[in-house]
Amino acid sequence: MRILFIGDIVGKPGREAVASLLPGLKEELAPELVIVNAENAAAGRGVTRAIVRALFASGVDVITTGNHVWARTEELGLLDDEPRVLRPGNYPPGSPGRGWGVFRTTRGNLIAVVNLIGRALMEPVDDPFRAIDDILAATALQTPLCFVDFHAETTSEKVAFGWHCAGRVSAVVGTHTHVQTADERILPGGTAYITDTGMCGPEDSVIGMEVEAALARFRTQLPHHLKVAEGVATLCGVVIDLDDQTGKAHSIQRLRRSEELYPREPQEKL
Amino acid sequence: MRILFIGDIVGKPGREAVASLLPGLKEELAPELVIVNAENAAAGRGVTRAIVRALFASGVDVITTGNHVWARTEELGLLDDEPRVLRPGNYPPGSPGRGWGVFRTTRGNLIAVVNLIGRALMEPVDDPFRAIDDILAATALQTPLCFVDFHAETTSEKVAFGWHCAGRVSAVVGTHTHVQTADERILPGGTAYITDTGMCGPEDSVIGMEVEAALARFRTQLPHHLKVAEGVATLCGVVIDLDDQTGKAHSIQRLRRSEELYPREPQEKL
Amino acid sequence: MRILFIGDIVGKPGREAVASLLPGLKEELAPELVIVNAENAAAGRGVTRAIVRALFASGVDVITTGNHVWARTEELGLLDDEPRVLRPGNYPPGSPGRGWGVFRTTRGNLIAVVNLIGRALMEPVDDPFRAIDDILAATALQTPLCFVDFHAETTSEKVAFGWHCAGRVSAVVGTHTHVQTADERILPGGTAYITDTGMCGPEDSVIGMEVEAALARFRTQLPHHLKVAEGVATLCGVVIDLDDQTGKAHSIQRLRRSEELYPREPQEKL
Amino acid sequence: MRILFIGDIVGKPGREAVASLLPGLKEELAPELVIVNAENAAAGRGVTRAIVRALFASGVDVITTGNHVWARTEELGLLDDEPRVLRPGNYPPGSPGRGWGVFRTTRGNLIAVVNLIGRALMEPVDDPFRAIDDILAATALQTPLCFVDFHAETTSEKVAFGWHCAGRVSAVVGTHTHVQTADERILPGGTAYITDTGMCGPEDSVIGMEVEAALARFRTQLPHHLKVAEGVATLCGVVIDLDDQTGKAHSIQRLRRSEELYPREPQEKL
Ligand SMILES: [Fe+2]
Ligand SMILES: [Fe+2]
Ligand SMILES: [Fe+2]
Ligand SMILES: [Fe+2]
Ligand SMILES: [Fe+2]
Ligand SMILES: [Fe+2]
Ligand SMILES: [Fe+2]
Ligand SMILES: [Fe+2]
């Protein structure tokens, strides 16, 4: 199974990049499953029913989120109503929505999709390391294919979480920092891993937000209203190929596409 | 001028990777200046006089550091004695050592090398945004070439710092997270930028440290002694080309090299 | 000189407690100077021109604030216009308003009033330890009397700041935690000190806010809108007596008064 | 039942203050149960078997701890061996030791003693709010008397935790900040509450540690070795009276005693 995963979609530029680029990517890459993280899709914070409908209409199969999903309190019913929209599964019991689901692809394969959040330099939610163990105890009976979006701040917690899952899940992809990392690899046991997928949002920005307001925050330490930047967006993602029988990952490749022919040609590794 | 910069050297595996790979890299890339961040070179924390001597002997020209430089309190005199070893320049006045220097290369070009540290989710030191303004006021009189190692945790502070410097310095390269990012670019005005260069350390590790102890910390929240992992090291760096007259960057390229032919072939971007 | 200082005024219950209790306190205690911290006076966050006018009308002489003062961005002009309303003095240069002032009392004595903020487990502003040194260099020429409101989170930073100022200022009183501490003392050299003055706000609350929403935040880790609690308010403060010639403190006494005869009689120390 | 609780014992001065003052306090107050927090008893960090023996010999019945208990890794077997020494109960399952116990006093009454730790601005352990619910489900069958040492940093989490427990436990007393608060009260339903008990340690110190090194840390932001201060120690505690049948608290009184007749006479509340 080939999975296309797209990182945190930021605001209208991010949504428009998905709408304009996803059809071509689906044609080019022929993924069996398209997953996107939409925690910043609604003006930079949260997601709405209308956005979710549009994402599904563009060809998205499952939506993950993160800490910002709670920002739109009027839309939280969505998390209870729509099993294809996940929120991190290690919020306390009783939180709206679900942290994982087992989905059947159009080609008939079953795959578990899991959303978890880190705690290092973040809010003190339940332990994600024990959470994945519990979730795997439930999903492993149904399918060996398991994709995890681990939404976390520090590289140490994310890399450690990858090792914790190595050989037990198909893929651990990081989100939240909005900057793609160049450390994609297959961990021992066949687990595809990347520390952060990067965002789908405006390139000339501070992780998706307008540069001037973000700079003002750092320079003054006073509150400045941040809003999503305008301009050309870049779509960051990963493409992961799994063995349908074993759930082991064969490969993980980074993806970075711009809506326009962007003047900066991304440089290749030496 | 071509600059080769290598990210946080972690312990003996990192030092050995520099020793074995740097001669070949110098031959291949012919950099005019080699800078390395050595904050984790001494068993994962700090740097010593002996390590500094060895790095200079391998062909390093200037050494930057970060928050861990203070760990070896018995070696802090080094920072006062050796102007080619920098510590972040925005520690309070009176701290041992220097945060920047202007260096003449063997080809006769002058370049300022600056080391600063971020504050978001880190210790509350002096403002790095004002610090670079003050430093540039001093160095700009001597040379338009200026390389900055910005040692920081969050992507937002690092990206914002890049924009703060855009058009005013030759390069802002991030360190500290030990994971290379894939967002290298030339910012408007000719400033080479990358959020994190990545480390020079053991590949099968949690940002350089042994996996088992790092996992135990996250699973138990109890103190566990971390030590540098063993095994094959990867050297992460960037190669930056500057205009000698204007100090503007022409290009920035990521570099990732393994001591051995590593079984995992790093994948190219799609 | 006798100073009456009242800690963080929280919302309408806090403002009403000041309005109803301050006249009687002034009669009873005959303070030469009344200072209040009003950072939470406007619905729990910030302060407005109307509130400032009302506080001055009730007999307040100088107003200090803290991290929440910036919440009412439409009112920040107030900080530039009214020298008797201070904000922490160690925000970056160029911030609206002032961090200190030298005021003449009705009895003709000059006293410096200083507002500073801590950094431990708070935002990374400028160093308050160096800031007080710089401010004292300016005020000491005018008067030996100096009162400091140090708005900070951790006991360690607050106690350390007290020692840093011992013998150099008349009083260091803490604010921000909204819970009065029982460690008032005269530090060597004649500096009155208390770690936290406590708030002036509703007693049955979580540091001034409604219990149910505050509990929901801790139980769910999701955002819940906090609003100021209702009910009987308690006014917490300190009374400090200084030598008019030397600025040395003779005494510091805690003050805790309720608007109504409160069913819980506060217990005395054994 | 009368309980005497003494806050964080800091180093040798703290231990000596317990040894010299506890016999007199037991005679004067006739507590049925003496509980002390000893997380800082061993040179400021952790506790040892020898110290535990000495505390029991001085008349202590039960020992609670906090985040520093793990510092003495060679002594952690103690936590498994000695049921009268507790560690915070909301560390992950599998941690050494126990978080609570039900103890029979010499007068034959059963009481649950619980030790929990907060998470706001601290390490991300398990949820203390759910933990107390689970513990009460176990202890309530045995006894209505329940004493909780809640070891936490922020006033908001501590006050909220008090309200969470109001009417369900006999007492919630805070520890960890080392500064006694003046907010002792009986919460609705008969729960004695104080935000922090304060420490038992050297008075002229920064929360028990030498002033000069603590100041150097704040002034330089560099690591400085902290050690326990010398000099006269103050013992801070609370005395709580409970109804033996219902477990409801009748009263809570703060206690503050110095080994010597201390030149500073603590001031009474106005
Ligand atoms: Fe995000
Ligand atoms: Fe996020
Ligand atoms: Fe590092
Ligand atoms: Fe670092
Ligand atoms: Fe406040
Ligand atoms: Fe505050
Ligand atoms: Fe403690
Ligand atoms: Fe503690």
Side-chain angles (χ1 to χ4, degrees):
Chain A
M1 179 187 301
R2 171 164 285 188
I3 299 169
L4 168 62
F5 177 72
I6 298 170
D8 308 45
I9 299 168
V10 181
K12 199 177 178 189
R15 301 194 313 262
E16 288 178 349
V18 172
S20 70
L21 293 170
L22 186 53
L25 286 169
K26 290 189 76 163
E27 203 165 317
E28 174 189 342
L29 300 166
E32 189 173 331
L33 188 69
V34 177
I35 308 172
V36 301
N37 184 306
E39 71 142 1
N40 307 106
R45 303 184 65 226
V47 70
T48 65
R49 286 174 192 269
I51 290 171
V52 161
R53 268 194 304 272
L55 288 170
F56 287 143
S58 335
V60 167
D61 297 305
V62 180
I63 294 171
T64 56
T65 58
N67 53 309
H68 284 301
V69 71
W70 314 109
R72 298 265 160 175
T73 47
E74 74 283 10
E75 301 274 359
L76 293 184
L78 163 65
L79 296 176
D80 286 323
D81 297 346
E82 176 49 83
R84 292 173 297 168
V85 179
L86 304 175
R87 47 81 182 165
N90 52 329
Y91 278 89
S95 304
R98 304 163 187 78
W100 57 276
V102 175
F103 302 95
R104 186 175 297 277
T105 68
T106 50
R107 290 177 215 169
N109 287 306
L110 281 180
I111 182 166
V113 179
V114 179
N115 196 185
L116 290 167
I117 194 164
R119 303 192 295 181
L121 305 183
M122 300 187 89
E123 296 303 308
V125 294
D126 289 356
D127 178 359
F129 290 77
R130 279 185 280 152
I132 188 64
D133 295 349
D134 292 346
I135 292 168
L136 287 177
T139 62
L141 301 170
Q142 301 180 62
T143 174
L145 284 71
C146 180
F147 174 94
V148 184
D149 172 352
F150 187 51
H151 193 79
E153 177 68 35
T154 69
T155 52
S156 59
E157 190 177 21
K158 286 160 119 169
V159 176
F161 189 82
W163 285 106
H164 178 73
C165 295
R168 302 197 295 149
V169 309
S170 308
V172 172
V173 301
T175 55
H176 178 67
T177 73
H178 293 204
V179 172
Q180 193 176 61
T181 57
D183 65 337
E184 74 284 3
R185 67 179 286 192
I186 305 295
L187 291 169
T191 297
Y193 174 81
I194 189 168
T195 293
D196 209 285
T197 308
M199 69 174 170
C200 178
E203 187 70 15
D204 284 350
S205 71
V206 174
I207 63 170
M209 298 293 154
E210 281 188 356
V211 169
E212 276 315 309
L215 272 176
R217 274 206 183 177
F218 283 106
R219 286 170 180 155
T220 68
Q221 297 296 326
L222 307 190
H224 283 85
H225 177 69
L226 297 183
K227 65 178 192 188
V228 173
E230 296 183 350
V232 175
T234 301
L235 179 155
C236 289
V238 287
V239 177
I240 298 169
D241 287 318
L242 307 181
D243 182 299
D244 290 355
Q245 304 309 313
T246 64
K248 302 296 181 195
H250 296 310
S251 71
I252 175 169
Q253 291 186 280
R254 274 185 288 116
L255 182 76
R256 189 181 185 101
R257 293 292 170 86
S258 180
E259 278 179 282
E260 302 187 11
L261 184 65
Y262 199 64
R264 168 180 73 90
E265 276 300 304
Q267 283 94 14
E268 290 307 307
K269 217 170 57 53
L270 287 172
Chain B
M1 179 188 298
R2 170 166 285 190
I3 300 169
L4 169 62
F5 176 73
I6 298 170
D8 308 43
I9 298 168
V10 181
K12 199 177 178 190
R15 301 194 313 262
E16 288 178 348
V18 172
S20 70
L21 293 170
L22 187 53
L25 285 168
K26 291 189 77 164
E27 202 163 319
E28 171 189 343
L29 300 166
E32 190 172 332
L33 189 69
V34 177
I35 309 172
V36 301
N37 184 306
E39 72 144 359
N40 307 106
R45 303 183 66 228
V47 69
T48 65
R49 286 173 194 270
I51 291 172
V52 162
R53 269 194 303 271
L55 288 170
F56 287 143
S58 339
V60 167
D61 298 303
V62 180
I63 294 172
T64 57
T65 57
N67 53 309
H68 284 300
V69 71
W70 314 108
R72 299 265 160 176
T73 47
E74 75 282 11
E75 300 273 1
L76 293 184
L78 162 67
L79 296 176
D80 285 324
D81 296 347
E82 175 50 82
R84 292 173 297 166
V85 179
L86 304 174
R87 47 80 181 165
N90 52 329
Y91 279 88
S95 304
R98 304 161 187 79
W100 57 276
V102 175
F103 302 95
R104 187 174 297 279
T105 68
T106 49
R107 292 177 215 168
N109 288 306
L110 280 180
I111 182 166
V113 179
V114 179
N115 196 185
L116 290 166
I117 194 165
R119 305 192 294 180
L121 305 183
M122 300 187 88
E123 295 303 308
V125 293
D126 289 356
D127 178 358
F129 290 78
R130 280 186 277 151
I132 188 65
D133 295 349
D134 291 347
I135 292 168
L136 287 176
T139 62
L141 301 169
Q142 300 179 63
T143 173
L145 283 71
C146 180
F147 174 94
V148 184
D149 172 352
F150 186 50
H151 193 80
E153 176 69 35
T154 69
T155 51
S156 59
E157 190 177 21
K158 286 160 119 168
V159 176
F161 190 82
W163 284 106
H164 178 74
C165 295
R168 302 196 295 148
V169 309
S170 308
V172 172
V173 302
T175 54
H176 179 65
T177 72
H178 292 204
V179 173
Q180 192 177 61
T181 57
D183 65 336
E184 74 284 3
R185 65 178 286 190
I186 304 297
L187 291 170
T191 298
Y193 174 80
I194 190 168
T195 294
D196 209 284
T197 308
M199 70 173 171
C200 179
E203 187 69 15
D204 285 348
S205 70
V206 173
I207 63 169
M209 298 292 153
E210 281 187 355
V211 170
E212 278 314 309
L215 272 176
R217 273 206 182 178
F218 283 107
R219 288 171 178 153
T220 67
Q221 297 296 325
L222 307 190
H224 284 86
H225 178 69
L226 297 183
K227 66 177 191 189
V228 172
E230 296 183 350
V232 175
T234 301
L235 178 154
C236 288
V238 286
V239 178
I240 298 169
D241 285 319
L242 306 182
D243 182 298
D244 290 356
Q245 304 309 313
T246 64
K248 302 295 181 194
H250 295 311
S251 71
I252 174 169
Q253 292 187 279
R254 275 185 285 118
L255 182 76
R256 189 180 185 101
R257 293 290 170 87
S258 180
E259 279 179 281
E260 301 187 11
L261 184 65
Y262 199 63
R264 168 180 74 88
E265 274 300 302
Q267 284 93 17
E268 290 308 306
K269 214 170 61 50
L270 287 173
Chain C
M1 179 189 300
R2 170 166 284 189
I3 300 169
L4 169 61
F5 177 72
I6 298 170
D8 308 44
I9 298 169
V10 181
K12 199 177 177 189
R15 301 194 312 263
E16 287 178 350
V18 171
S20 70
L21 293 169
L22 185 55
L25 286 169
K26 291 189 76 164
E27 203 164 317
E28 174 190 341
L29 300 166
E32 191 173 333
L33 189 69
V34 177
I35 308 172
V36 301
N37 184 306
E39 72 142 0
N40 307 105
R45 303 184 65 226
V47 69
T48 65
R49 286 175 194 269
I51 290 171
V52 161
R53 269 195 304 272
L55 288 171
F56 287 144
S58 339
V60 167
D61 297 304
V62 179
I63 293 171
T64 56
T65 58
N67 53 310
H68 284 301
V69 71
W70 314 107
R72 300 263 160 176
T73 46
E74 74 282 11
E75 301 273 0
L76 293 184
L78 163 66
L79 296 176
D80 286 324
D81 297 347
E82 176 49 83
R84 292 173 297 168
V85 179
L86 304 175
R87 49 80 182 166
N90 52 328
Y91 278 88
S95 305
R98 301 161 189 81
W100 57 276
V102 175
F103 302 94
R104 186 175 298 278
T105 68
T106 49
R107 291 177 215 170
N109 287 306
L110 281 180
I111 181 166
V113 179
V114 179
N115 196 184
L116 290 166
I117 195 165
R119 303 192 295 181
L121 305 184
M122 299 187 89
E123 295 303 307
V125 294
D126 288 357
D127 178 358
F129 290 78
R130 278 185 280 151
I132 188 65
D133 296 349
D134 292 346
I135 292 168
L136 287 177
T139 62
L141 301 170
Q142 301 179 62
T143 173
L145 283 71
C146 180
F147 173 95
V148 184
D149 173 352
F150 186 51
H151 193 80
E153 177 68 35
T154 69
T155 51
S156 59
E157 190 177 20
K158 287 160 117 169
V159 175
F161 190 82
W163 284 107
H164 178 73
C165 294
R168 302 196 295 148
V169 309
S170 308
V172 172
V173 301
T175 54
H176 179 65
T177 73
H178 293 203
V179 172
Q180 192 176 61
T181 57
D183 66 336
E184 75 282 3
R185 66 179 285 192
I186 305 296
L187 292 169
T191 297
Y193 174 80
I194 189 168
T195 294
D196 209 286
T197 308
M199 71 175 169
C200 179
E203 187 70 13
D204 284 350
S205 71
V206 173
I207 63 169
M209 298 292 153
E210 281 188 355
V211 169
E212 277 315 308
L215 272 176
R217 275 206 182 178
F218 283 106
R219 287 171 179 153
T220 67
Q221 297 297 325
L222 307 189
H224 283 86
H225 177 69
L226 296 183
K227 66 178 190 187
V228 173
E230 297 184 349
V232 175
T234 300
L235 179 155
C236 289
V238 286
V239 178
I240 298 169
D241 286 318
L242 306 181
D243 182 300
D244 290 357
Q245 304 309 314
T246 62
K248 302 295 181 196
H250 296 309
S251 71
I252 174 168
Q253 292 188 279
R254 276 184 287 118
L255 182 76
R256 190 180 185 101
R257 293 291 170 85
S258 181
E259 277 180 282
E260 302 186 11
L261 183 64
Y262 199 63
R264 169 180 73 89
E265 277 298 306
Q267 284 93 14
E268 291 306 307
K269 224 173 48 57
L270 288 173
Chain D
M1 180 188 298
R2 170 166 284 189
I3 300 168
L4 168 61
F5 177 73
I6 298 170
D8 308 44
I9 298 168
V10 182
K12 198 176 179 190
R15 300 194 313 261
E16 288 178 348
V18 171
S20 69
L21 291 170
L22 186 54
L25 285 169
K26 290 189 76 164
E27 201 163 320
E28 173 189 342
L29 300 167
E32 190 173 331
L33 189 70
V34 176
I35 308 172
V36 302
N37 185 305
E39 73 143 359
N40 307 107
R45 302 183 67 227
V47 69
T48 64
R49 286 174 193 270
I51 290 172
V52 162
R53 270 195 304 271
L55 288 171
F56 287 143
S58 336
V60 167
D61 297 303
V62 180
I63 293 171
T64 57
T65 58
N67 53 309
H68 283 301
V69 71
W70 314 108
R72 299 265 160 176
T73 47
E74 74 282 11
E75 300 273 0
L76 292 185
L78 162 65
L79 296 176
D80 285 325
D81 297 347
E82 175 49 84
R84 292 173 299 167
V85 179
L86 304 175
R87 48 81 182 163
N90 52 328
Y91 278 89
S95 304
R98 301 162 189 81
W100 57 276
V102 175
F103 302 94
R104 187 175 297 279
T105 68
T106 49
R107 290 177 216 168
N109 288 306
L110 281 180
I111 182 166
V113 179
V114 179
N115 196 184
L116 290 166
I117 194 165
R119 305 192 293 181
L121 306 183
M122 300 186 89
E123 294 304 307
V125 294
D126 289 355
D127 179 358
F129 289 78
R130 279 186 278 152
I132 188 64
D133 296 349
D134 291 347
I135 292 168
L136 286 177
T139 62
L141 301 169
Q142 301 180 62
T143 173
L145 283 71
C146 180
F147 174 95
V148 184
D149 173 351
F150 187 52
H151 194 80
E153 177 68 34
T154 69
T155 51
S156 59
E157 190 177 21
K158 286 160 117 169
V159 176
F161 190 82
W163 285 105
H164 178 73
C165 295
R168 302 197 295 149
V169 309
S170 308
V172 172
V173 302
T175 55
H176 179 65
T177 73
H178 293 203
V179 172
Q180 192 177 62
T181 57
D183 65 337
E184 74 284 4
R185 65 178 287 190
I186 305 296
L187 292 169
T191 298
Y193 174 81
I194 190 168
T195 293
D196 210 283
T197 308
M199 70 174 170
C200 178
E203 187 70 14
D204 284 350
S205 71
V206 173
I207 63 168
M209 298 291 153
E210 281 187 355
V211 169
E212 277 316 308
L215 272 177
R217 273 206 181 178
F218 283 105
R219 286 172 180 152
T220 66
Q221 298 296 325
L222 307 189
H224 283 86
H225 178 69
L226 296 183
K227 67 177 190 187
V228 173
E230 297 184 348
V232 175
T234 300
L235 178 155
C236 290
V238 285
V239 177
I240 298 169
D241 286 318
L242 306 182
D243 182 299
D244 290 356
Q245 303 309 314
T246 63
K248 302 297 182 194
H250 295 312
S251 72
I252 174 168
Q253 291 187 279
R254 275 185 286 116
L255 182 77
R256 188 179 185 102
R257 293 289 170 85
S258 180
E259 279 179 281
E260 302 187 10
L261 184 65
Y262 199 64
R264 169 180 72 91
E265 274 301 302
Q267 285 93 16
E268 291 307 308
K269 218 170 56 54
L270 287 172

